[in-house]
Amino acid sequence: MLKDGSLAVAVVQHQVMLVQSARTHHQRERWVDVYTYTPFGERVFLASDVPQARIAARDILTIFPADDGARAPTAGMLELPAQAFWEYVELSARTQKRHEQMFDSALGGRMNLTKGRRRW
């Protein structure tokens, strides 16, 4: 269950983002309405260009505990505690690595080096 205002890390439009639940969602719901935030600096996130989204529940990578201590210094801005930010960075790096490996394997299957020439 994702409560209204809960923070999570999710994949939105092929990017790892910080998201905030727009309403309470139950465990069996397939879609989640969220507000999206992109990284701005050390532990600080700003509302993204498309601040609201509906994402698949399976795209949520982790949900932060409600008592994690995230704060909103101003409207459209969130600041994560150090541990939560570290977790965001780890998940972002892991997802980036997985995408690069998928790209490399797809490219490797198509590319054939014959006689010094590339065939696409």
Side-chain angles (χ1 to χ4, degrees):
M1 185 164 141
L2 190 64
K3 294 182 180 177
D4 185 20
S6 294
L7 294 176
V9 176
V11 177
V12 181
Q13 296 180 344
H14 307 290
Q15 292 182 338
V16 176
M17 301 179 107
L18 180 68
V19 298
Q20 184 177 30
S21 178
R23 63 178 181 83
T24 298
H25 296 84
H26 300 286
Q27 198 168 14
R28 295 186 185 251
E29 288 187 61
R30 293 178 54 191
W31 301 98
V32 180
D33 297 314
V34 296
Y35 301 110
T36 59
Y37 296 87
T38 56
F40 179 68
E42 184 72 19
R43 300 175 28 203
V44 176
F45 292 78
L46 296 178
S48 68
D49 295 336
V50 182
Q52 288 185 303
R54 176 171 279 180
I55 63 171
R58 69 177 178 271
D59 290 337
I60 296 175
L61 303 175
T62 190
I63 300 171
F64 295 121
D67 60 350
D68 216 14
R71 61 186 200 96
T74 62
M77 180 186 289
L78 288 175
E79 184 177 0
L80 291 180
Q83 178 64 29
F85 182 72
W86 178 85
E87 192 171 346
Y88 166 83
V89 170
E90 276 294 308
L91 289 168
S92 183
R94 194 178 315 160
T95 303
Q96 178 69 28
K97 185 176 180 181
R98 189 175 70 237
H99 286 156
E100 287 173 1
Q101 287 172 341
M102 288 186 331
F103 179 77
D104 288 345
S105 67
L107 187 61
R110 290 188 194 163
M111 203 163 100
N112 184 8
L113 298 175
T114 309
K115 298 180 184 176
R117 296 171 55 190
R118 290 186 181 176
R119 286 187 170 172
W120 299 96

mmCIF file of all heavy atoms in Angstrom, residues 76-108:
data_model
loop_
_atom_site.group_PDB
_atom_site.id
_atom_site.type_symbol
_atom_site.label_atom_id
_atom_site.label_comp_id
_atom_site.label_asym_id
_atom_site.label_seq_id
_atom_site.Cartn_x
_atom_site.Cartn_y
_atom_site.Cartn_z
ATOM 1 N N GLY A 76 7.444 22.632 -4.700
ATOM 2 C CA GLY A 76 8.100 22.074 -5.877
ATOM 3 C C GLY A 76 9.517 21.595 -5.628
ATOM 4 O O GLY A 76 10.245 21.305 -6.576
ATOM 5 N N MET A 77 9.920 21.507 -4.362
ATOM 6 C CA MET A 77 11.266 21.073 -4.025
ATOM 7 C C MET A 77 11.204 20.083 -2.869
ATOM 8 O O MET A 77 10.435 20.256 -1.941
ATOM 9 C CB MET A 77 12.122 22.271 -3.624
ATOM 10 C CG MET A 77 13.548 21.918 -3.255
ATOM 11 S SD MET A 77 14.487 23.330 -2.633
ATOM 12 C CE MET A 77 14.705 24.271 -4.120
ATOM 13 N N LEU A 78 12.023 19.028 -2.954
ATOM 14 C CA LEU A 78 12.133 18.055 -1.871
ATOM 15 C C LEU A 78 13.604 17.846 -1.546
ATOM 16 O O LEU A 78 14.447 17.851 -2.438
ATOM 17 C CB LEU A 78 11.527 16.709 -2.276
ATOM 18 C CG LEU A 78 10.016 16.632 -2.384
ATOM 19 C CD1 LEU A 78 9.599 15.271 -2.911
ATOM 20 C CD2 LEU A 78 9.371 16.876 -1.038
ATOM 21 N N GLU A 79 13.893 17.648 -0.276
ATOM 22 C CA GLU A 79 15.253 17.341 0.152
ATOM 23 C C GLU A 79 15.222 16.015 0.903
ATOM 24 O O GLU A 79 14.488 15.849 1.872
ATOM 25 C CB GLU A 79 15.804 18.437 1.051
ATOM 26 C CG GLU A 79 17.245 18.210 1.437
ATOM 27 C CD GLU A 79 17.812 19.341 2.270
ATOM 28 O OE1 GLU A 79 17.096 20.311 2.552
ATOM 29 O OE2 GLU A 79 18.985 19.222 2.651
ATOM 30 N N LEU A 80 16.029 15.071 0.424
ATOM 31 C CA LEU A 80 16.087 13.747 1.043
ATOM 32 C C LEU A 80 17.171 13.702 2.106
ATOM 33 O O LEU A 80 18.191 14.376 1.982
ATOM 34 C CB LEU A 80 16.413 12.687 -0.007
ATOM 35 C CG LEU A 80 15.363 12.370 -1.058
ATOM 36 C CD1 LEU A 80 15.876 11.299 -2.007
ATOM 37 C CD2 LEU A 80 14.065 11.922 -0.418
ATOM 38 N N PRO A 81 16.984 12.872 3.127
ATOM 39 C CA PRO A 81 18.079 12.631 4.072
ATOM 40 C C PRO A 81 19.205 11.876 3.354
ATOM 41 O O PRO A 81 18.995 11.285 2.289
ATOM 42 C CB PRO A 81 17.447 11.791 5.165
ATOM 43 C CG PRO A 81 16.123 11.368 4.667
ATOM 44 C CD PRO A 81 15.767 12.191 3.488
ATOM 45 N N ALA A 82 20.388 11.883 3.944
ATOM 46 C CA ALA A 82 21.568 11.304 3.292
ATOM 47 C C ALA A 82 21.370 9.838 2.912
ATOM 48 O O ALA A 82 21.727 9.429 1.800
ATOM 49 C CB ALA A 82 22.780 11.457 4.202
ATOM 50 N N GLN A 83 20.820 9.018 3.799
ATOM 51 C CA GLN A 83 20.640 7.590 3.512
ATOM 52 C C GLN A 83 19.687 7.368 2.337
ATOM 53 O O GLN A 83 19.940 6.543 1.464
ATOM 54 C CB GLN A 83 20.133 6.851 4.759
ATOM 55 C CG GLN A 83 19.879 5.380 4.552
ATOM 56 C CD GLN A 83 21.145 4.596 4.218
ATOM 57 O OE1 GLN A 83 22.237 4.957 4.635
ATOM 58 N NE2 GLN A 83 21.002 3.525 3.457
ATOM 59 N N ALA A 84 18.588 8.104 2.291
ATOM 60 C CA ALA A 84 17.625 7.963 1.200
ATOM 61 C C ALA A 84 18.243 8.428 -0.122
ATOM 62 O O ALA A 84 18.016 7.811 -1.169
ATOM 63 C CB ALA A 84 16.359 8.760 1.509
ATOM 64 N N PHE A 85 19.030 9.494 -0.076
ATOM 65 C CA PHE A 85 19.684 9.967 -1.296
ATOM 66 C C PHE A 85 20.686 8.933 -1.803
ATOM 67 O O PHE A 85 20.765 8.661 -3.000
ATOM 68 C CB PHE A 85 20.379 11.306 -1.063
ATOM 69 C CG PHE A 85 21.025 11.854 -2.304
ATOM 70 C CD1 PHE A 85 20.256 12.352 -3.336
ATOM 71 C CD2 PHE A 85 22.397 11.853 -2.446
ATOM 72 C CE1 PHE A 85 20.841 12.837 -4.492
ATOM 73 C CE2 PHE A 85 23.007 12.341 -3.592
ATOM 74 C CZ PHE A 85 22.220 12.839 -4.617
ATOM 75 N N TRP A 86 21.438 8.316 -0.897
ATOM 76 C CA TRP A 86 22.388 7.279 -1.279
ATOM 77 C C TRP A 86 21.659 6.121 -1.955
ATOM 78 O O TRP A 86 22.123 5.575 -2.959
ATOM 79 C CB TRP A 86 23.155 6.786 -0.049
ATOM 80 C CG TRP A 86 24.115 5.701 -0.370
ATOM 81 C CD1 TRP A 86 25.386 5.830 -0.828
ATOM 82 C CD2 TRP A 86 23.859 4.292 -0.282
ATOM 83 N NE1 TRP A 86 25.945 4.592 -1.033
ATOM 84 C CE2 TRP A 86 25.023 3.624 -0.698
ATOM 85 C CE3 TRP A 86 22.768 3.532 0.114
ATOM 86 C CZ2 TRP A 86 25.133 2.242 -0.735
ATOM 87 C CZ3 TRP A 86 22.873 2.150 0.077
ATOM 88 C CH2 TRP A 86 24.046 1.528 -0.347
ATOM 89 N N GLU A 87 20.496 5.752 -1.413
ATOM 90 C CA GLU A 87 19.704 4.672 -2.009
ATOM 91 C C GLU A 87 19.229 5.058 -3.405
ATOM 92 O O GLU A 87 19.251 4.242 -4.332
ATOM 93 C CB GLU A 87 18.523 4.327 -1.103
ATOM 94 C CG GLU A 87 17.835 3.049 -1.482
ATOM 95 C CD GLU A 87 16.818 2.603 -0.447
ATOM 96 O OE1 GLU A 87 16.820 3.114 0.687
ATOM 97 O OE2 GLU A 87 16.012 1.732 -0.792
ATOM 98 N N TYR A 88 18.802 6.308 -3.575
ATOM 99 C CA TYR A 88 18.399 6.795 -4.900
ATOM 100 C C TYR A 88 19.563 6.680 -5.891
ATOM 101 O O TYR A 88 19.397 6.199 -7.009
ATOM 102 C CB TYR A 88 17.916 8.253 -4.817
ATOM 103 C CG TYR A 88 17.818 8.897 -6.173
ATOM 104 C CD1 TYR A 88 16.700 8.711 -6.979
ATOM 105 C CD2 TYR A 88 18.866 9.675 -6.674
ATOM 106 C CE1 TYR A 88 16.624 9.275 -8.241
ATOM 107 C CE2 TYR A 88 18.794 10.241 -7.926
ATOM 108 C CZ TYR A 88 17.676 10.035 -8.708
ATOM 109 O OH TYR A 88 17.616 10.584 -9.960
ATOM 110 N N VAL A 89 20.757 7.113 -5.480
ATOM 111 C CA VAL A 89 21.932 7.067 -6.350
ATOM 112 C C VAL A 89 22.254 5.630 -6.724
ATOM 113 O O VAL A 89 22.553 5.330 -7.890
ATOM 114 C CB VAL A 89 23.134 7.771 -5.677
ATOM 115 C CG1 VAL A 89 24.418 7.527 -6.443
ATOM 116 C CG2 VAL A 89 22.869 9.263 -5.554
ATOM 117 N N GLU A 90 22.206 4.710 -5.766
ATOM 118 C CA GLU A 90 22.478 3.295 -6.034
ATOM 119 C C GLU A 90 21.487 2.712 -7.038
ATOM 120 O O GLU A 90 21.882 2.023 -7.982
ATOM 121 C CB GLU A 90 22.413 2.483 -4.741
ATOM 122 C CG GLU A 90 23.670 2.494 -3.943
ATOM 123 C CD GLU A 90 24.812 1.802 -4.654
ATOM 124 O OE1 GLU A 90 24.657 0.649 -5.102
ATOM 125 O OE2 GLU A 90 25.871 2.434 -4.772
ATOM 126 N N LEU A 91 20.205 2.970 -6.835
ATOM 127 C CA LEU A 91 19.189 2.444 -7.746
ATOM 128 C C LEU A 91 19.332 3.052 -9.135
ATOM 129 O O LEU A 91 19.154 2.371 -10.147
ATOM 130 C CB LEU A 91 17.787 2.696 -7.180
ATOM 131 C CG LEU A 91 17.423 1.860 -5.970
ATOM 132 C CD1 LEU A 91 16.162 2.388 -5.308
ATOM 133 C CD2 LEU A 91 17.259 0.399 -6.364
ATOM 134 N N SER A 92 19.653 4.324 -9.190
ATOM 135 C CA SER A 92 19.853 4.991 -10.473
ATOM 136 C C SER A 92 21.040 4.382 -11.223
ATOM 137 O O SER A 92 20.958 4.089 -12.421
ATOM 138 C CB SER A 92 20.072 6.483 -10.245
ATOM 139 O OG SER A 92 20.191 7.154 -11.472
ATOM 140 N N ALA A 93 22.144 4.164 -10.527
ATOM 141 C CA ALA A 93 23.335 3.580 -11.150
ATOM 142 C C ALA A 93 23.069 2.146 -11.612
ATOM 143 O O ALA A 93 23.479 1.750 -12.706
ATOM 144 C CB ALA A 93 24.503 3.613 -10.173
ATOM 145 N N ARG A 94 22.384 1.374 -10.797
ATOM 146 C CA ARG A 94 22.069 -0.012 -11.147
ATOM 147 C C ARG A 94 21.174 -0.074 -12.382
ATOM 148 O O ARG A 94 21.383 -0.892 -13.277
ATOM 149 C CB ARG A 94 21.390 -0.698 -9.967
ATOM 150 C CG ARG A 94 21.327 -2.190 -10.091
ATOM 151 C CD ARG A 94 20.689 -2.854 -8.896
ATOM 152 N NE ARG A 94 21.186 -2.328 -7.643
ATOM 153 C CZ ARG A 94 20.562 -2.448 -6.490
ATOM 154 N NH1 ARG A 94 19.379 -3.056 -6.433
ATOM 155 N NH2 ARG A 94 21.068 -1.953 -5.377
ATOM 156 N N THR A 95 20.177 0.802 -12.446
ATOM 157 C CA THR A 95 19.279 0.832 -13.596
ATOM 158 C C THR A 95 20.026 1.270 -14.849
ATOM 159 O O THR A 95 19.838 0.709 -15.926
ATOM 160 C CB THR A 95 18.082 1.760 -13.317
ATOM 161 O OG1 THR A 95 17.424 1.295 -12.139
ATOM 162 C CG2 THR A 95 17.110 1.771 -14.467
ATOM 163 N N GLN A 96 20.900 2.272 -14.718
ATOM 164 C CA GLN A 96 21.707 2.732 -15.848
ATOM 165 C C GLN A 96 22.590 1.605 -16.371
ATOM 166 O O GLN A 96 22.691 1.386 -17.575
ATOM 167 C CB GLN A 96 22.569 3.922 -15.427
ATOM 168 C CG GLN A 96 23.479 4.449 -16.528
ATOM 169 C CD GLN A 96 22.717 5.117 -17.645
ATOM 170 O OE1 GLN A 96 21.633 5.655 -17.434
ATOM 171 N NE2 GLN A 96 23.266 5.061 -18.828
ATOM 172 N N LYS A 97 23.212 0.864 -15.482
ATOM 173 C CA LYS A 97 24.079 -0.244 -15.876
ATOM 174 C C LYS A 97 23.284 -1.323 -16.605
ATOM 175 O O LYS A 97 23.733 -1.861 -17.613
ATOM 176 C CB LYS A 97 24.774 -0.829 -14.646
ATOM 177 C CG LYS A 97 25.766 -1.901 -14.972
ATOM 178 C CD LYS A 97 26.488 -2.372 -13.729
ATOM 179 C CE LYS A 97 27.489 -3.467 -14.082
ATOM 180 N NZ LYS A 97 28.186 -3.947 -12.892
ATOM 181 N N ARG A 98 22.090 -1.637 -16.098
ATOM 182 C CA ARG A 98 21.248 -2.643 -16.746
ATOM 183 C C ARG A 98 20.851 -2.199 -18.150
ATOM 184 O O ARG A 98 20.888 -2.989 -19.094
ATOM 185 C CB ARG A 98 20.011 -2.927 -15.893
ATOM 186 C CG ARG A 98 19.218 -4.117 -16.421
ATOM 187 C CD ARG A 98 18.056 -4.504 -15.527
ATOM 188 N NE ARG A 98 17.025 -3.495 -15.581
ATOM 189 C CZ ARG A 98 16.540 -2.844 -14.516
ATOM 190 N NH1 ARG A 98 16.996 -3.106 -13.318
ATOM 191 N NH2 ARG A 98 15.595 -1.956 -14.644
ATOM 192 N N HIS A 99 20.508 -0.923 -18.330
ATOM 193 C CA HIS A 99 20.153 -0.414 -19.659
ATOM 194 C C HIS A 99 21.346 -0.466 -20.602
ATOM 195 O O HIS A 99 21.196 -0.811 -21.782
ATOM 196 C CB HIS A 99 19.615 1.014 -19.564
ATOM 197 C CG HIS A 99 18.228 1.080 -19.008
ATOM 198 N ND1 HIS A 99 17.718 2.196 -18.398
ATOM 199 C CD2 HIS A 99 17.236 0.164 -18.962
ATOM 200 C CE1 HIS A 99 16.484 1.975 -18.005
ATOM 201 N NE2 HIS A 99 16.169 0.747 -18.339
ATOM 202 N N GLU A 100 22.532 -0.133 -20.104
ATOM 203 C CA GLU A 100 23.731 -0.195 -20.939
ATOM 204 C C GLU A 100 24.029 -1.627 -21.361
ATOM 205 O O GLU A 100 24.409 -1.871 -22.508
ATOM 206 C CB GLU A 100 24.922 0.397 -20.194
ATOM 207 C CG GLU A 100 24.869 1.901 -20.072
ATOM 208 C CD GLU A 100 25.970 2.468 -19.190
ATOM 209 O OE1 GLU A 100 26.806 1.689 -18.668
ATOM 210 O OE2 GLU A 100 25.992 3.699 -19.021
ATOM 211 N N GLN A 101 23.858 -2.581 -20.455
ATOM 212 C CA GLN A 101 24.096 -3.984 -20.792
ATOM 213 C C GLN A 101 23.091 -4.467 -21.840
ATOM 214 O O GLN A 101 23.454 -5.194 -22.768
ATOM 215 C CB GLN A 101 24.009 -4.856 -19.542
ATOM 216 C CG GLN A 101 25.180 -4.695 -18.617
ATOM 217 C CD GLN A 101 24.993 -5.431 -17.290
ATOM 218 O OE1 GLN A 101 23.875 -5.769 -16.908
ATOM 219 N NE2 GLN A 101 26.088 -5.646 -16.591
ATOM 220 N N MET A 102 21.832 -4.062 -21.717
ATOM 221 C CA MET A 102 20.833 -4.446 -22.716
ATOM 222 C C MET A 102 21.176 -3.838 -24.069
ATOM 223 O O MET A 102 21.070 -4.493 -25.101
ATOM 224 C CB MET A 102 19.432 -4.011 -22.262
ATOM 225 C CG MET A 102 18.902 -4.826 -21.128
ATOM 226 S SD MET A 102 17.185 -4.521 -20.608
ATOM 227 C CE MET A 102 16.857 -2.843 -20.974
ATOM 228 N N PHE A 103 21.613 -2.584 -24.076
ATOM 229 C CA PHE A 103 21.988 -1.919 -25.323
ATOM 230 C C PHE A 103 23.194 -2.605 -25.956
ATOM 231 O O PHE A 103 23.212 -2.862 -27.157
ATOM 232 C CB PHE A 103 22.293 -0.442 -25.068
ATOM 233 C CG PHE A 103 22.700 0.306 -26.301
ATOM 234 C CD1 PHE A 103 21.756 0.700 -27.229
ATOM 235 C CD2 PHE A 103 24.029 0.613 -26.533
ATOM 236 C CE1 PHE A 103 22.127 1.380 -28.367
ATOM 237 C CE2 PHE A 103 24.411 1.291 -27.673
ATOM 238 C CZ PHE A 103 23.457 1.683 -28.595
ATOM 239 N N ASP A 104 24.199 -2.914 -25.146
ATOM 240 C CA ASP A 104 25.399 -3.578 -25.656
ATOM 241 C C ASP A 104 25.077 -4.947 -26.242
ATOM 242 O O ASP A 104 25.594 -5.321 -27.296
ATOM 243 C CB ASP A 104 26.456 -3.722 -24.567
ATOM 244 C CG ASP A 104 27.116 -2.410 -24.203
ATOM 245 O OD1 ASP A 104 26.969 -1.433 -24.979
ATOM 246 O OD2 ASP A 104 27.761 -2.346 -23.139
ATOM 247 N N SER A 105 24.218 -5.704 -25.573
ATOM 248 C CA SER A 105 23.875 -7.028 -26.084
ATOM 249 C C SER A 105 23.053 -6.920 -27.370
ATOM 250 O O SER A 105 23.228 -7.707 -28.290
ATOM 251 C CB SER A 105 23.147 -7.853 -25.035
ATOM 252 O OG SER A 105 21.891 -7.302 -24.765
ATOM 253 N N ALA A 106 22.168 -5.926 -27.449
ATOM 254 C CA ALA A 106 21.387 -5.732 -28.673
ATOM 255 C C ALA A 106 22.288 -5.278 -29.813
ATOM 256 O O ALA A 106 22.170 -5.743 -30.941
ATOM 257 C CB ALA A 106 20.276 -4.719 -28.439
ATOM 258 N N LEU A 107 23.212 -4.412 -29.526
ATOM 259 C CA LEU A 107 24.135 -3.914 -30.542
ATOM 260 C C LEU A 107 25.105 -5.002 -30.960
ATOM 261 O O LEU A 107 25.414 -5.157 -32.135
ATOM 262 C CB LEU A 107 24.911 -2.704 -30.009
ATOM 263 C CG LEU A 107 25.789 -1.966 -31.005
ATOM 264 C CD1 LEU A 107 24.943 -1.406 -32.135
ATOM 265 C CD2 LEU A 107 26.541 -0.855 -30.309
ATOM 266 N N GLY A 108 25.560 -5.805 -30.010
ATOM 267 C CA GLY A 108 26.482 -6.891 -30.303
ATOM 268 C C GLY A 108 25.867 -7.943 -31.215
ATOM 269 O O GLY A 108 26.546 -8.552 -32.029
#
